[in-house]
PDB file of all heavy atoms in Angstrom:
ATOM      1  N   ALA A   1       0.852  -1.185  -0.009  1.00  0.00           N
ATOM      2  CA  ALA A   1      -0.001   0.006   0.004  1.00  0.00           C
ATOM      3  C   ALA A   1       0.881   1.243  -0.004  1.00  0.00           C
ATOM      4  O   ALA A   1       1.880   1.309   0.731  1.00  0.00           O
ATOM      5  CB  ALA A   1      -0.908   0.009   1.216  1.00  0.00           C
ATOM      6  N   SER A   2       0.548   2.179  -0.826  1.00  0.00           N
ATOM      7  CA  SER A   2       1.379   3.374  -0.929  1.00  0.00           C
ATOM      8  C   SER A   2       0.707   4.531  -0.193  1.00  0.00           C
ATOM      9  O   SER A   2      -0.389   4.429   0.319  1.00  0.00           O
ATOM     10  CB  SER A   2       1.591   3.751  -2.394  1.00  0.00           C
ATOM     11  OG  SER A   2       0.363   4.035  -3.018  1.00  0.00           O
ATOM     12  N   SER A   3       1.395   5.625  -0.168  1.00  0.00           N
ATOM     13  CA  SER A   3       0.891   6.859   0.428  1.00  0.00           C
ATOM     14  C   SER A   3       0.527   6.729   1.872  1.00  0.00           C
ATOM     15  O   SER A   3      -0.374   7.424   2.365  1.00  0.00           O
ATOM     16  CB  SER A   3      -0.326   7.384  -0.372  1.00  0.00           C
ATOM     17  OG  SER A   3      -0.020   7.551  -1.737  1.00  0.00           O
ATOM     18  N   GLY A   4       1.201   5.807   2.581  1.00  0.00           N
ATOM     19  CA  GLY A   4       0.960   5.714   4.008  1.00  0.00           C
ATOM     20  C   GLY A   4      -0.350   5.079   4.401  1.00  0.00           C
ATOM     21  O   GLY A   4      -0.684   4.980   5.571  1.00  0.00           O
ATOM     22  N   ARG A   5      -1.110   4.553   3.413  1.00  0.00           N
ATOM     23  CA  ARG A   5      -2.362   3.913   3.761  1.00  0.00           C
ATOM     24  C   ARG A   5      -2.099   2.516   4.280  1.00  0.00           C
ATOM     25  O   ARG A   5      -1.103   1.890   3.959  1.00  0.00           O
ATOM     26  CB  ARG A   5      -3.260   3.853   2.525  1.00  0.00           C
ATOM     27  CG  ARG A   5      -3.553   5.209   1.912  1.00  0.00           C
ATOM     28  CD  ARG A   5      -4.367   6.088   2.853  1.00  0.00           C
ATOM     29  NE  ARG A   5      -5.692   5.569   3.096  1.00  0.00           N
ATOM     30  CZ  ARG A   5      -6.738   5.821   2.312  1.00  0.00           C
ATOM     31  NH1 ARG A   5      -6.587   6.549   1.230  1.00  0.00           N
ATOM     32  NH2 ARG A   5      -7.919   5.321   2.614  1.00  0.00           N
ATOM     33  N   ILE A   6      -2.971   1.987   5.099  1.00  0.00           N
ATOM     34  CA  ILE A   6      -2.792   0.667   5.672  1.00  0.00           C
ATOM     35  C   ILE A   6      -3.767  -0.327   5.076  1.00  0.00           C
ATOM     36  O   ILE A   6      -4.869   0.047   4.660  1.00  0.00           O
ATOM     37  CB  ILE A   6      -2.908   0.683   7.186  1.00  0.00           C
ATOM     38  CG1 ILE A   6      -4.322   1.159   7.604  1.00  0.00           C
ATOM     39  CG2 ILE A   6      -1.834   1.576   7.805  1.00  0.00           C
ATOM     40  CD1 ILE A   6      -4.564   1.036   9.095  1.00  0.00           C
ATOM     41  N   ILE A   7      -3.377  -1.592   5.064  1.00  0.00           N
ATOM     42  CA  ILE A   7      -4.239  -2.630   4.523  1.00  0.00           C
ATOM     43  C   ILE A   7      -4.602  -3.652   5.555  1.00  0.00           C
ATOM     44  O   ILE A   7      -5.221  -4.663   5.225  1.00  0.00           O
ATOM     45  CB  ILE A   7      -3.544  -3.338   3.323  1.00  0.00           C
ATOM     46  CG1 ILE A   7      -2.224  -3.984   3.744  1.00  0.00           C
ATOM     47  CG2 ILE A   7      -3.322  -2.354   2.175  1.00  0.00           C
ATOM     48  CD1 ILE A   7      -1.627  -4.873   2.677  1.00  0.00           C
ATOM     49  N   SER A   8      -4.252  -3.426   6.816  1.00  0.00           N
ATOM     50  CA  SER A   8      -4.441  -4.454   7.810  1.00  0.00           C
ATOM     51  C   SER A   8      -5.909  -4.779   8.043  1.00  0.00           C
ATOM     52  O   SER A   8      -6.219  -5.874   8.533  1.00  0.00           O
ATOM     53  CB  SER A   8      -3.788  -4.025   9.125  1.00  0.00           C
ATOM     54  OG  SER A   8      -4.368  -2.823   9.596  1.00  0.00           O
ATOM     55  N   ARG A   9      -6.826  -3.884   7.713  1.00  0.00           N
ATOM     56  CA  ARG A   9      -8.248  -4.164   7.922  1.00  0.00           C
ATOM     57  C   ARG A   9      -8.905  -4.695   6.651  1.00  0.00           C
ATOM     58  O   ARG A   9     -10.112  -4.874   6.611  1.00  0.00           O
ATOM     59  CB  ARG A   9      -8.955  -2.883   8.365  1.00  0.00           C
ATOM     60  CG  ARG A   9      -8.481  -2.369   9.701  1.00  0.00           C
ATOM     61  CD  ARG A   9      -9.389  -1.271  10.216  1.00  0.00           C
ATOM     62  NE  ARG A   9      -8.924  -0.718  11.486  1.00  0.00           N
ATOM     63  CZ  ARG A   9      -8.176   0.356  11.592  1.00  0.00           C
ATOM     64  NH1 ARG A   9      -7.815   1.010  10.505  1.00  0.00           N
ATOM     65  NH2 ARG A   9      -7.804   0.811  12.760  1.00  0.00           N
ATOM     66  N   ASN A  10      -8.116  -4.921   5.604  1.00  0.00           N
ATOM     67  CA  ASN A  10      -8.656  -5.372   4.326  1.00  0.00           C
ATOM     68  C   ASN A  10      -8.414  -6.856   4.073  1.00  0.00           C
ATOM     69  O   ASN A  10      -7.371  -7.374   4.444  1.00  0.00           O
ATOM     70  CB  ASN A  10      -7.980  -4.612   3.185  1.00  0.00           C
ATOM     71  CG  ASN A  10      -8.406  -3.149   3.136  1.00  0.00           C
ATOM     72  OD1 ASN A  10      -9.269  -2.770   2.375  1.00  0.00           O
ATOM     73  ND2 ASN A  10      -7.799  -2.338   3.963  1.00  0.00           N
ATOM     74  N   THR A  11      -9.390  -7.496   3.447  1.00  0.00           N
ATOM     75  CA  THR A  11      -9.116  -8.764   2.795  1.00  0.00           C
ATOM     76  C   THR A  11      -8.343  -8.427   1.519  1.00  0.00           C
ATOM     77  O   THR A  11      -8.713  -7.510   0.808  1.00  0.00           O
ATOM     78  CB  THR A  11     -10.428  -9.477   2.445  1.00  0.00           C
ATOM     79  OG1 THR A  11     -11.073  -9.879   3.659  1.00  0.00           O
ATOM     80  CG2 THR A  11     -10.167 -10.695   1.574  1.00  0.00           C
ATOM     81  N   MET A  12      -7.294  -9.170   1.272  1.00  0.00           N
ATOM     82  CA  MET A  12      -6.467  -8.904   0.097  1.00  0.00           C
ATOM     83  C   MET A  12      -6.502 -10.100  -0.865  1.00  0.00           C
ATOM     84  O   MET A  12      -6.654 -11.253  -0.427  1.00  0.00           O
ATOM     85  CB  MET A  12      -5.017  -8.643   0.514  1.00  0.00           C
ATOM     86  CG  MET A  12      -4.875  -7.429   1.446  1.00  0.00           C
ATOM     87  SD  MET A  12      -5.394  -5.881   0.694  1.00  0.00           S
ATOM     88  CE  MET A  12      -4.173  -5.733  -0.622  1.00  0.00           C
ATOM     89  N   GLY A  13      -6.337  -9.807  -2.134  1.00  0.00           N
ATOM     90  CA  GLY A  13      -6.384 -10.891  -3.104  1.00  0.00           C
ATOM     91  C   GLY A  13      -5.489 -10.633  -4.297  1.00  0.00           C
ATOM     92  O   GLY A  13      -5.012  -9.522  -4.514  1.00  0.00           O
ATOM     93  N   TRP A  14      -5.273 -11.691  -5.054  1.00  0.00           N
ATOM     94  CA  TRP A  14      -4.569 -11.613  -6.331  1.00  0.00           C
ATOM     95  C   TRP A  14      -5.478 -12.147  -7.428  1.00  0.00           C
ATOM     96  O   TRP A  14      -6.153 -13.166  -7.254  1.00  0.00           O
ATOM     97  CB  TRP A  14      -3.296 -12.441  -6.283  1.00  0.00           C
ATOM     98  CG  TRP A  14      -2.198 -11.863  -5.427  1.00  0.00           C
ATOM     99  CD1 TRP A  14      -1.963 -12.159  -4.126  1.00  0.00           C
ATOM    100  CD2 TRP A  14      -1.224 -10.901  -5.807  1.00  0.00           C
ATOM    101  NE1 TRP A  14      -0.885 -11.428  -3.674  1.00  0.00           N
ATOM    102  CE2 TRP A  14      -0.418 -10.635  -4.694  1.00  0.00           C
ATOM    103  CE3 TRP A  14      -0.956 -10.226  -7.023  1.00  0.00           C
ATOM    104  CZ2 TRP A  14       0.636  -9.741  -4.722  1.00  0.00           C
ATOM    105  CZ3 TRP A  14       0.106  -9.320  -7.028  1.00  0.00           C
ATOM    106  CH2 TRP A  14       0.885  -9.086  -5.915  1.00  0.00           C
ATOM    107  N   PHE A  15      -5.479 -11.425  -8.549  1.00  0.00           N
ATOM    108  CA  PHE A  15      -6.192 -11.826  -9.742  1.00  0.00           C
ATOM    109  C   PHE A  15      -5.176 -11.825 -10.897  1.00  0.00           C
ATOM    110  O   PHE A  15      -4.101 -11.250 -10.767  1.00  0.00           O
ATOM    111  CB  PHE A  15      -7.313 -10.852 -10.038  1.00  0.00           C
ATOM    112  CG  PHE A  15      -8.440 -10.875  -9.048  1.00  0.00           C
ATOM    113  CD1 PHE A  15      -8.276 -10.276  -7.791  1.00  0.00           C
ATOM    114  CD2 PHE A  15      -9.653 -11.467  -9.364  1.00  0.00           C
ATOM    115  CE1 PHE A  15      -9.332 -10.301  -6.861  1.00  0.00           C
ATOM    116  CE2 PHE A  15     -10.691 -11.470  -8.443  1.00  0.00           C
ATOM    117  CZ  PHE A  15     -10.517 -10.912  -7.189  1.00  0.00           C
ATOM    118  N   ARG A  16      -5.545 -12.446 -12.001  1.00  0.00           N
ATOM    119  CA  ARG A  16      -4.670 -12.391 -13.165  1.00  0.00           C
ATOM    120  C   ARG A  16      -5.496 -12.334 -14.444  1.00  0.00           C
ATOM    121  O   ARG A  16      -6.663 -12.765 -14.465  1.00  0.00           O
ATOM    122  CB  ARG A  16      -3.742 -13.589 -13.208  1.00  0.00           C
ATOM    123  CG  ARG A  16      -4.421 -14.931 -13.419  1.00  0.00           C
ATOM    124  CD  ARG A  16      -3.411 -16.057 -13.277  1.00  0.00           C
ATOM    125  NE  ARG A  16      -4.028 -17.377 -13.504  1.00  0.00           N
ATOM    126  CZ  ARG A  16      -3.413 -18.507 -13.320  1.00  0.00           C
ATOM    127  NH1 ARG A  16      -2.143 -18.542 -12.900  1.00  0.00           N
ATOM    128  NH2 ARG A  16      -4.038 -19.659 -13.570  1.00  0.00           N
ATOM    129  N   GLN A  17      -4.910 -11.786 -15.476  1.00  0.00           N
ATOM    130  CA  GLN A  17      -5.556 -11.699 -16.774  1.00  0.00           C
ATOM    131  C   GLN A  17      -4.552 -12.015 -17.859  1.00  0.00           C
ATOM    132  O   GLN A  17      -3.555 -11.296 -18.025  1.00  0.00           O
ATOM    133  CB  GLN A  17      -6.179 -10.318 -16.990  1.00  0.00           C
ATOM    134  CG  GLN A  17      -7.035 -10.251 -18.251  1.00  0.00           C
ATOM    135  CD  GLN A  17      -7.889  -8.998 -18.306  1.00  0.00           C
ATOM    136  OE1 GLN A  17      -7.626  -8.012 -17.610  1.00  0.00           O
ATOM    137  NE2 GLN A  17      -8.930  -9.031 -19.108  1.00  0.00           N
ATOM    138  N   ALA A  18      -4.827 -13.075 -18.583  1.00  0.00           N
ATOM    139  CA  ALA A  18      -3.988 -13.462 -19.711  1.00  0.00           C
ATOM    140  C   ALA A  18      -4.524 -12.806 -20.982  1.00  0.00           C
ATOM    141  O   ALA A  18      -5.695 -12.441 -21.044  1.00  0.00           O
ATOM    142  CB  ALA A  18      -3.993 -14.990 -19.866  1.00  0.00           C
ATOM    143  N   PRO A  19      -3.681 -12.652 -21.995  1.00  0.00           N
ATOM    144  CA  PRO A  19      -4.129 -12.025 -23.239  1.00  0.00           C
ATOM    145  C   PRO A  19      -5.336 -12.731 -23.831  1.00  0.00           C
ATOM    146  O   PRO A  19      -5.341 -13.962 -23.964  1.00  0.00           O
ATOM    147  CB  PRO A  19      -2.892 -12.155 -24.143  1.00  0.00           C
ATOM    148  CG  PRO A  19      -1.750 -12.240 -23.213  1.00  0.00           C
ATOM    149  CD  PRO A  19      -2.239 -12.988 -22.040  1.00  0.00           C
ATOM    150  N   GLY A  20      -6.349 -11.973 -24.152  1.00  0.00           N
ATOM    151  CA  GLY A  20      -7.543 -12.514 -24.775  1.00  0.00           C
ATOM    152  C   GLY A  20      -8.478 -13.266 -23.833  1.00  0.00           C
ATOM    153  O   GLY A  20      -9.467 -13.848 -24.286  1.00  0.00           O
ATOM    154  N   LYS A  21      -8.160 -13.226 -22.557  1.00  0.00           N
ATOM    155  CA  LYS A  21      -8.994 -13.934 -21.560  1.00  0.00           C
ATOM    156  C   LYS A  21      -9.534 -12.946 -20.517  1.00  0.00           C
ATOM    157  O   LYS A  21      -9.017 -11.841 -20.369  1.00  0.00           O
ATOM    158  CB  LYS A  21      -8.190 -15.035 -20.889  1.00  0.00           C
ATOM    159  CG  LYS A  21      -7.790 -16.154 -21.826  1.00  0.00           C
ATOM    160  CD  LYS A  21      -7.141 -17.293 -21.045  1.00  0.00           C
ATOM    161  CE  LYS A  21      -6.766 -18.446 -21.942  1.00  0.00           C
ATOM    162  NZ  LYS A  21      -6.165 -19.588 -21.193  1.00  0.00           N
ATOM    163  N   GLU A  22     -10.558 -13.387 -19.839  1.00  0.00           N
ATOM    164  CA  GLU A  22     -11.104 -12.556 -18.768  1.00  0.00           C
ATOM    165  C   GLU A  22     -10.220 -12.647 -17.524  1.00  0.00           C
ATOM    166  O   GLU A  22      -9.500 -13.630 -17.321  1.00  0.00           O
ATOM    167  CB  GLU A  22     -12.523 -13.012 -18.447  1.00  0.00           C
ATOM    168  CG  GLU A  22     -13.522 -12.774 -19.578  1.00  0.00           C
ATOM    169  CD  GLU A  22     -14.964 -13.092 -19.148  1.00  0.00           C
ATOM    170  OE1 GLU A  22     -15.144 -13.610 -18.049  1.00  0.00           O
ATOM    171  OE2 GLU A  22     -15.848 -12.812 -19.947  1.00  0.00           O
ATOM    172  N   ARG A  23     -10.347 -11.632 -16.699  1.00  0.00           N
ATOM    173  CA  ARG A  23      -9.640 -11.646 -15.437  1.00  0.00           C
ATOM    174  C   ARG A  23     -10.154 -12.804 -14.577  1.00  0.00           C
ATOM    175  O   ARG A  23     -11.365 -13.074 -14.542  1.00  0.00           O
ATOM    176  CB  ARG A  23      -9.869 -10.317 -14.708  1.00  0.00           C
ATOM    177  CG  ARG A  23      -9.168 -10.182 -13.382  1.00  0.00           C
ATOM    178  CD  ARG A  23      -9.547  -8.869 -12.731  1.00  0.00           C
ATOM    179  NE  ARG A  23     -11.002  -8.842 -12.524  1.00  0.00           N
ATOM    180  CZ  ARG A  23     -11.719  -7.708 -12.471  1.00  0.00           C
ATOM    181  NH1 ARG A  23     -11.103  -6.560 -12.626  1.00  0.00           N
ATOM    182  NH2 ARG A  23     -12.996  -7.753 -12.267  1.00  0.00           N
ATOM    183  N   GLU A  24      -9.258 -13.460 -13.874  1.00  0.00           N
ATOM    184  CA  GLU A  24      -9.671 -14.561 -13.019  1.00  0.00           C
ATOM    185  C   GLU A  24      -9.035 -14.467 -11.629  1.00  0.00           C
ATOM    186  O   GLU A  24      -7.944 -13.927 -11.454  1.00  0.00           O
ATOM    187  CB  GLU A  24      -9.292 -15.912 -13.639  1.00  0.00           C
ATOM    188  CG  GLU A  24      -7.822 -16.162 -13.787  1.00  0.00           C
ATOM    189  CD  GLU A  24      -7.527 -17.579 -14.293  1.00  0.00           C
ATOM    190  OE1 GLU A  24      -8.455 -18.379 -14.462  1.00  0.00           O
ATOM    191  OE2 GLU A  24      -6.325 -17.873 -14.503  1.00  0.00           O
ATOM    192  N   PHE A  25      -9.758 -15.000 -10.686  1.00  0.00           N
ATOM    193  CA  PHE A  25      -9.320 -15.031  -9.282  1.00  0.00           C
ATOM    194  C   PHE A  25      -8.171 -16.002  -9.127  1.00  0.00           C
ATOM    195  O   PHE A  25      -8.157 -17.083  -9.708  1.00  0.00           O
ATOM    196  CB  PHE A  25     -10.484 -15.423  -8.407  1.00  0.00           C
ATOM    197  CG  PHE A  25     -10.134 -15.731  -6.969  1.00  0.00           C
ATOM    198  CD1 PHE A  25      -9.879 -14.691  -6.087  1.00  0.00           C
ATOM    199  CD2 PHE A  25     -10.077 -17.024  -6.519  1.00  0.00           C
ATOM    200  CE1 PHE A  25      -9.566 -14.947  -4.757  1.00  0.00           C
ATOM    201  CE2 PHE A  25      -9.789 -17.306  -5.201  1.00  0.00           C
ATOM    202  CZ  PHE A  25      -9.522 -16.271  -4.326  1.00  0.00           C
ATOM    203  N   VAL A  26      -7.189 -15.633  -8.290  1.00  0.00           N
ATOM    204  CA  VAL A  26      -6.060 -16.510  -8.025  1.00  0.00           C
ATOM    205  C   VAL A  26      -6.050 -16.925  -6.562  1.00  0.00           C
ATOM    206  O   VAL A  26      -6.011 -18.100  -6.242  1.00  0.00           O
ATOM    207  CB  VAL A  26      -4.723 -15.819  -8.380  1.00  0.00           C
ATOM    208  CG1 VAL A  26      -3.537 -16.697  -7.991  1.00  0.00           C
ATOM    209  CG2 VAL A  26      -4.674 -15.499  -9.878  1.00  0.00           C
ATOM    210  N   ALA A  27      -6.042 -15.941  -5.662  1.00  0.00           N
ATOM    211  CA  ALA A  27      -5.942 -16.245  -4.225  1.00  0.00           C
ATOM    212  C   ALA A  27      -6.410 -15.064  -3.408  1.00  0.00           C
ATOM    213  O   ALA A  27      -6.430 -13.930  -3.887  1.00  0.00           O
ATOM    214  CB  ALA A  27      -4.507 -16.598  -3.855  1.00  0.00           C
ATOM    215  N   ALA A  28      -6.776 -15.350  -2.138  1.00  0.00           N
ATOM    216  CA  ALA A  28      -7.188 -14.288  -1.233  1.00  0.00           C
ATOM    217  C   ALA A  28      -6.792 -14.678   0.189  1.00  0.00           C
ATOM    218  O   ALA A  28      -6.600 -15.838   0.502  1.00  0.00           O
ATOM    219  CB  ALA A  28      -8.681 -14.023  -1.314  1.00  0.00           C
ATOM    220  N   ILE A  29      -6.692 -13.629   1.023  1.00  0.00           N
ATOM    221  CA  ILE A  29      -6.312 -13.833   2.423  1.00  0.00           C
ATOM    222  C   ILE A  29      -7.070 -12.836   3.292  1.00  0.00           C
ATOM    223  O   ILE A  29      -7.226 -11.682   2.908  1.00  0.00           O
ATOM    224  CB  ILE A  29      -4.799 -13.685   2.591  1.00  0.00           C
ATOM    225  CG1 ILE A  29      -4.328 -14.074   4.002  1.00  0.00           C
ATOM    226  CG2 ILE A  29      -4.318 -12.285   2.226  1.00  0.00           C
ATOM    227  CD1 ILE A  29      -2.804 -14.213   4.101  1.00  0.00           C
ATOM    228  N   ASN A  30      -7.590 -13.292   4.428  1.00  0.00           N
ATOM    229  CA  ASN A  30      -8.354 -12.360   5.246  1.00  0.00           C
ATOM    230  C   ASN A  30      -7.407 -11.446   6.042  1.00  0.00           C
ATOM    231  O   ASN A  30      -6.190 -11.583   5.954  1.00  0.00           O
ATOM    232  CB  ASN A  30      -9.346 -13.123   6.146  1.00  0.00           C
ATOM    233  CG  ASN A  30      -8.649 -13.798   7.327  1.00  0.00           C
ATOM    234  OD1 ASN A  30      -7.450 -14.017   7.314  1.00  0.00           O
ATOM    235  ND2 ASN A  30      -9.415 -14.158   8.329  1.00  0.00           N
ATOM    236  N   TRP A  31      -7.986 -10.550   6.807  1.00  0.00           N
ATOM    237  CA  TRP A  31      -7.206  -9.478   7.399  1.00  0.00           C
ATOM    238  C   TRP A  31      -6.098  -9.969   8.311  1.00  0.00           C
ATOM    239  O   TRP A  31      -5.028  -9.369   8.382  1.00  0.00           O
ATOM    240  CB  TRP A  31      -8.109  -8.518   8.166  1.00  0.00           C
ATOM    241  CG  TRP A  31      -8.666  -9.114   9.433  1.00  0.00           C
ATOM    242  CD1 TRP A  31      -9.667 -10.011   9.584  1.00  0.00           C
ATOM    243  CD2 TRP A  31      -8.147  -8.883  10.753  1.00  0.00           C
ATOM    244  NE1 TRP A  31      -9.842 -10.355  10.886  1.00  0.00           N
ATOM    245  CE2 TRP A  31      -8.945  -9.649  11.629  1.00  0.00           C
ATOM    246  CE3 TRP A  31      -7.145  -8.064  11.272  1.00  0.00           C
ATOM    247  CZ2 TRP A  31      -8.730  -9.672  12.999  1.00  0.00           C
ATOM    248  CZ3 TRP A  31      -6.923  -8.075  12.633  1.00  0.00           C
ATOM    249  CH2 TRP A  31      -7.722  -8.878  13.492  1.00  0.00           C
ATOM    250  N   SER A  32      -6.348 -11.084   9.024  1.00  0.00           N
ATOM    251  CA  SER A  32      -5.364 -11.556   9.983  1.00  0.00           C
ATOM    252  C   SER A  32      -4.366 -12.538   9.365  1.00  0.00           C
ATOM    253  O   SER A  32      -3.352 -12.865  10.006  1.00  0.00           O
ATOM    254  CB  SER A  32      -6.067 -12.240  11.130  1.00  0.00           C
ATOM    255  OG  SER A  32      -6.738 -13.403  10.706  1.00  0.00           O
ATOM    256  N   GLY A  33      -4.697 -13.046   8.204  1.00  0.00           N
ATOM    257  CA  GLY A  33      -3.836 -14.049   7.581  1.00  0.00           C
ATOM    258  C   GLY A  33      -4.174 -15.479   7.984  1.00  0.00           C
ATOM    259  O   GLY A  33      -3.544 -16.404   7.504  1.00  0.00           O
ATOM    260  N   GLU A  34      -5.196 -15.651   8.819  1.00  0.00           N
ATOM    261  CA  GLU A  34      -5.496 -16.989   9.302  1.00  0.00           C
ATOM    262  C   GLU A  34      -6.286 -17.814   8.306  1.00  0.00           C
ATOM    263  O   GLU A  34      -6.330 -19.043   8.435  1.00  0.00           O
ATOM    264  CB  GLU A  34      -6.284 -16.901  10.614  1.00  0.00           C
ATOM    265  CG  GLU A  34      -7.629 -16.235  10.488  1.00  0.00           C
ATOM    266  CD  GLU A  34      -8.347 -16.108  11.813  1.00  0.00           C
ATOM    267  OE1 GLU A  34      -7.707 -16.332  12.850  1.00  0.00           O
ATOM    268  OE2 GLU A  34      -9.540 -15.781  11.813  1.00  0.00           O
ATOM    269  N   SER A  35      -6.898 -17.171   7.338  1.00  0.00           N
ATOM    270  CA  SER A  35      -7.672 -17.904   6.328  1.00  0.00           C
ATOM    271  C   SER A  35      -7.218 -17.506   4.936  1.00  0.00           C
ATOM    272  O   SER A  35      -7.088 -16.305   4.653  1.00  0.00           O
ATOM    273  CB  SER A  35      -9.179 -17.594   6.483  1.00  0.00           C
ATOM    274  OG  SER A  35      -9.658 -18.048   7.743  1.00  0.00           O
ATOM    275  N   THR A  36      -7.022 -18.512   4.100  1.00  0.00           N
ATOM    276  CA  THR A  36      -6.607 -18.274   2.719  1.00  0.00           C
ATOM    277  C   THR A  36      -7.516 -19.044   1.774  1.00  0.00           C
ATOM    278  O   THR A  36      -8.117 -20.060   2.149  1.00  0.00           O
ATOM    279  CB  THR A  36      -5.145 -18.686   2.492  1.00  0.00           C
ATOM    280  OG1 THR A  36      -4.989 -20.059   2.860  1.00  0.00           O
ATOM    281  CG2 THR A  36      -4.207 -17.841   3.318  1.00  0.00           C
ATOM    282  N   TYR A  37      -7.582 -18.576   0.539  1.00  0.00           N
ATOM    283  CA  TYR A  37      -8.476 -19.136  -0.452  1.00  0.00           C
ATOM    284  C   TYR A  37      -7.741 -19.164  -1.791  1.00  0.00           C
ATOM    285  O   TYR A  37      -7.021 -18.206  -2.116  1.00  0.00           O
ATOM    286  CB  TYR A  37      -9.735 -18.289  -0.575  1.00  0.00           C
ATOM    287  CG  TYR A  37     -10.369 -18.007   0.771  1.00  0.00           C
ATOM    288  CD1 TYR A  37      -9.921 -16.972   1.574  1.00  0.00           C
ATOM    289  CD2 TYR A  37     -11.388 -18.827   1.250  1.00  0.00           C
ATOM    290  CE1 TYR A  37     -10.458 -16.726   2.830  1.00  0.00           C
ATOM    291  CE2 TYR A  37     -11.952 -18.579   2.509  1.00  0.00           C
ATOM    292  CZ  TYR A  37     -11.484 -17.540   3.283  1.00  0.00           C
ATOM    293  OH  TYR A  37     -12.025 -17.311   4.522  1.00  0.00           O
ATOM    294  N   TYR A  38      -7.934 -20.228  -2.570  1.00  0.00           N
ATOM    295  CA  TYR A  38      -7.191 -20.381  -3.798  1.00  0.00           C
ATOM    296  C   TYR A  38      -8.097 -20.883  -4.926  1.00  0.00           C
ATOM    297  O   TYR A  38      -9.021 -21.660  -4.701  1.00  0.00           O
ATOM    298  CB  TYR A  38      -6.046 -21.374  -3.646  1.00  0.00           C
ATOM    299  CG  TYR A  38      -4.996 -20.936  -2.660  1.00  0.00           C
ATOM    300  CD1 TYR A  38      -5.026 -21.347  -1.338  1.00  0.00           C
ATOM    301  CD2 TYR A  38      -3.954 -20.102  -3.076  1.00  0.00           C
ATOM    302  CE1 TYR A  38      -4.073 -20.934  -0.431  1.00  0.00           C
ATOM    303  CE2 TYR A  38      -2.984 -19.696  -2.167  1.00  0.00           C
ATOM    304  CZ  TYR A  38      -3.059 -20.101  -0.839  1.00  0.00           C
ATOM    305  OH  TYR A  38      -2.099 -19.685   0.050  1.00  0.00           O
ATOM    306  N   ALA A  39      -7.778 -20.467  -6.148  1.00  0.00           N
ATOM    307  CA  ALA A  39      -8.371 -21.085  -7.316  1.00  0.00           C
ATOM    308  C   ALA A  39      -7.824 -22.496  -7.461  1.00  0.00           C
ATOM    309  O   ALA A  39      -6.674 -22.768  -7.116  1.00  0.00           O
ATOM    310  CB  ALA A  39      -8.041 -20.263  -8.559  1.00  0.00           C
ATOM    311  N   ASP A  40      -8.645 -23.382  -7.985  1.00  0.00           N
ATOM    312  CA  ASP A  40      -8.210 -24.777  -8.136  1.00  0.00           C
ATOM    313  C   ASP A  40      -6.950 -24.884  -8.989  1.00  0.00           C
ATOM    314  O   ASP A  40      -6.107 -25.741  -8.754  1.00  0.00           O
ATOM    315  CB  ASP A  40      -9.325 -25.614  -8.764  1.00  0.00           C
ATOM    316  CG  ASP A  40     -10.501 -25.830  -7.826  1.00  0.00           C
ATOM    317  OD1 ASP A  40     -10.323 -25.658  -6.597  1.00  0.00           O
ATOM    318  OD2 ASP A  40     -11.580 -26.198  -8.320  1.00  0.00           O
ATOM    319  N   SER A  41      -6.794 -23.994  -9.946  1.00  0.00           N
ATOM    320  CA  SER A  41      -5.691 -24.084 -10.886  1.00  0.00           C
ATOM    321  C   SER A  41      -4.337 -23.792 -10.227  1.00  0.00           C
ATOM    322  O   SER A  41      -3.293 -24.128 -10.789  1.00  0.00           O
ATOM    323  CB  SER A  41      -5.893 -23.108 -12.041  1.00  0.00           C
ATOM    324  OG  SER A  41      -6.023 -21.780 -11.559  1.00  0.00           O
ATOM    325  N   VAL A  42      -4.343 -23.185  -9.052  1.00  0.00           N
ATOM    326  CA  VAL A  42      -3.069 -22.833  -8.406  1.00  0.00           C
ATOM    327  C   VAL A  42      -2.873 -23.507  -7.048  1.00  0.00           C
ATOM    328  O   VAL A  42      -1.815 -23.373  -6.435  1.00  0.00           O
ATOM    329  CB  VAL A  42      -2.905 -21.304  -8.241  1.00  0.00           C
ATOM    330  CG1 VAL A  42      -3.105 -20.600  -9.576  1.00  0.00           C
ATOM    331  CG2 VAL A  42      -3.873 -20.745  -7.207  1.00  0.00           C
TER     332      VAL A  42
END
């Protein structure tokens, strides 16, 4: 996070987009890091 903003209260995730394809979910993590979620492909 830039500009001094914090992300500790946010769920964070990663997405990806390949050429010619729609954006897809990759992974996510809740605010504390205790729970994670993944796409089957990864």
